[in-house]
Each structure stands twice: as C-alpha cells, then as structure tokens.
Amino acid sequence: MHTLRETFPLSRSAPSRGMRVARVWWTAIRPRTLGIAIAPVAVGTALAVADGARIDWLVLLATLASALLIQIGTNLHNDAADFERGTDGPRRVGPLRVTAAGLASPAAVKRGAVLAFAAALALGGYLVAVGGGVILVIGCASLLAGWAYSGGPRPISHTPLGESFVLFFFGVLAVCGSHWLQARAFSPLGVAAGIAVGAPFAAVLLVNNFRDLETDLLSGRRTLAALLGRAGCMRAYVLLVLLPLPLLGSIALAGRPGVLLGLLAMPAFARLAVRFRAASGQGFNAVLAGTACQGSWLGLAMAAGILSAHLL
C-alpha cells in the first residue's frame, strides 16, 4: 500500500508537507473530471443568451461553483465509500485513490465530501432565491444523487444505472438548470444539448467500469459493463461518444447553427473508439482521460459556437 512519503517523496528540493498534503487532496478531487461540471453550465448559459437573456455574472459564478462542489463532493465520497466496501482493492488498475493508497483516512475524505456538499448547499440557497422552486428541486435532487451515487444500502455506482445517472444529472439537468437560472424559462433545445454533453461523460464511466469489471464482480458490483459484456460495452461506447453528432445537427436545424462548432471534437471521439477496442489493463486509463477531456471540449465548443453565432 502506498504511503504519503512514497507517493510524494521528500528530497532537498521537495515541497513542504503542506504542499504534499495539498497534492493528495488535489488527487482526491480528480481534477480531470471537473470539466464534467463546467461544460454543461457553459452550454446552458450560452443557450440562454441566444434566447435573449443577459448574463447575470454573479449567478453564473455561483452556478459554476455549486456544480464544481457537487462534483468534488461526489468524487470524495466515492473515494472513501469504495474503499470501505472493498471495491478499491490492491488489484485495481485505475488511477490512484487516496483512501485505498493510505494517503488519507476514510473519515477525513468523507469530511471533505461533507464540506463540499455543505458549501454547494449554501450557494444553492442563493440560487434558489434567484431561480425559485425549480432550482430548489434540481439542487436537492443533485445533492441527494451525489450522495446516493456511492452511499446508502444500494449505491447507484454498483448498479447498471450509473451511466444514466451521469447523462441525466451532469447533462440534461445541468444544462436545463443553468439555462433556467439565466433566462427563467425552460428550453427544449436544452434537453438535446444536455444529452449531447452528457453522453461522452457517461462514456467515461463506462470505460471506468469496463476497466474494473473483474474486481467489480468480485466485490459484488453489477454495473452496466457487467450487464453488457465486452462486445456490448464496445458498442455502447461508440454509441455514447458519437451520439452528439446527430444531436448537434438537430440543434443547428432548430435555429442554433453555431452549435456545430462542437463537431470539431468528433474526430477525436472516433479515434478514442478505436483505442477503446484495442485497450487493455491500464491502457483504459488513457482512454478514460481522453474521453473526459474531449467531452469537456465538446461542451465548451458548443457554448462558444452558440455565443459566437448569436453575437455575429
């Protein structure tokens, strides 16, 4: 098992203990996943501006911060909970998890998750005052889902519903909620845009679960990857990363042609699909990271294209 000293070794030029502890927490929040929180907020806000709303910058900052905190809280809770359930054992080939590596105690990581959720709840109070009952429902559902993903007697992450959870909460709900906060209206295009943004993020989880399939089965997890098997996972991954293609076309035809800027991400998704089919072991980590990165760029490109077309 890793120790803090082994993972962040000391030397004459090494950073202080405080810096090394900061690196542990930076690892724990899984920074590569934070684009999952940022991209849908950007898309929802861009759609609101295209619909005639003026950006409320304080609301936008609060929305981004709240989304990031929920993502961080979910990651931290997942880190501790999976270790306590025995899911993250020594045979795991995924990226380092600080609890399983002995770099932080489960209690400390759980406290970090509680603090992140509490801060999101505090910001949510302001957003509810701005957006009313719709945002109250979305916020409460998001916080509950963040906990239920890894917590409770039957965590979502241990079922075949994990990918659907990501697609809905980090795609559709995040885009539509961000649009509502700026425009105070529901956008049908927000649903299509939310699916387009959320599908690659669901693919990230699919890669994660396929990579960990053997150890997940041993620990009792029955994820979508376990249900589909290898061939089914390959098809599902291709479907998820290429699903934005027809959705971007439909959004463009509905009056938002700038969204087609997101097509710039599609060649990378096609290459990732080829790499996924050939990957094994730790090779899945690169596919996972690439999918998360391209999913974030897809959302940001969609938002930039929508805004550019509106302003021009």
Side-chain angles (χ1 to χ4, degrees), residues 11-61:
S11 69
R12 290 183 179 180
S13 59
S16 65
R17 176 176 174 79
M19 287 291 291
R20 288 184 285 120
V21 170
R23 288 182 182 178
V24 169
W25 284 102
W26 180 247
T27 300
I29 68 173
R30 306 180 195 175
R32 289 182 176 178
T33 69
L34 298 186
I36 294 175
I38 296 170
V41 174
V43 172
T45 302
L47 283 173
V49 172
D51 287 343
R54 295 184 61 182
I55 295 180
D56 186 323
W57 292 102
L58 184 58
V59 170
L60 175 58
L61 290 174

Side-chain angles (χ1 to χ4, degrees), residues 6-298:
E6 289 170 342
T7 305
F8 303 112
L10 290 173
S11 69
R12 290 183 179 180
S13 59
S16 65
R17 176 176 174 79
M19 287 291 291
R20 288 184 285 120
V21 170
R23 288 182 182 178
V24 169
W25 284 102
W26 180 247
T27 300
I29 68 173
R30 306 180 195 175
R32 289 182 176 178
T33 69
L34 298 186
I36 294 175
I38 296 170
V41 174
V43 172
T45 302
L47 283 173
V49 172
D51 287 343
R54 295 184 61 182
I55 295 180
D56 186 323
W57 292 102
L58 184 58
V59 170
L60 175 58
L61 290 174
T63 306
L64 283 169
S66 182
L68 284 167
L69 286 165
I70 291 174
Q71 177 70 42
I72 289 170
T74 302
N75 288 345
L76 292 174
H77 189 256
N78 176 255
D79 192 303
D82 277 2
F83 170 72
E84 291 181 331
R85 292 176 184 273
T87 304
D88 287 347
R91 297 180 63 182
R92 185 176 183 276
V93 297
L96 181 142
R97 295 289 177 256
V98 300
T99 312
L103 303 176
S105 69
V109 175
K110 282 186 174 181
R111 283 195 297 272
V114 169
L115 287 173
F117 286 138
L121 183 62
L123 285 171
Y126 166 67
L127 295 176
V128 168
V130 172
V134 171
I135 298 304
L136 176 62
V137 172
I138 291 176
C140 290
S142 298
L143 286 169
L144 179 61
W147 171 82
Y149 182 75
S150 300
R154 188 165 175 76
I156 295 170
S157 63
H158 286 50
T159 73
L161 300 177
E163 286 78 5
S164 299
F165 162 90
V166 171
L167 180 59
F168 180 68
F169 280 96
F170 293 97
V172 176
L173 209 58
V175 170
C176 290
S178 301
H179 182 280
W180 180 276
L181 281 166
Q182 296 293 335
R184 311 296 189 276
F186 172 74
S187 170
L189 290 182
V191 177
I195 296 173
V197 173
F201 295 144
V204 171
L205 182 60
L206 183 70
V207 175
N208 180 83
N209 290 340
F210 184 71
R211 180 200 62 205
D212 296 340
L213 182 57
E214 181 180 350
T215 54
D216 282 352
L217 290 174
L218 290 174
S219 64
R221 291 180 67 174
R222 294 297 182 268
T223 61
L224 182 63
L227 184 66
L228 295 178
R230 180 178 179 85
C233 282
M234 298 298 176
R235 290 192 292 268
Y237 180 84
V238 172
L239 172 65
L240 287 170
V241 297
L242 297 185
L243 183 57
L245 184 60
L247 290 169
L248 294 181
S250 66
I251 296 169
L253 290 174
R256 298 288 177 260
V259 77
L260 293 177
L261 189 62
L263 292 177
L264 293 175
M266 302 314 297
F269 281 133
R271 290 192 294 271
L272 283 165
V274 174
R275 291 177 64 187
F276 181 51
R277 295 181 66 87
S280 63
Q282 294 189 3
F284 286 114
N285 294 338
V287 177
L288 186 152
T291 308
C293 180
Q294 290 303 318
S296 300
W297 281 117
L298 167 68

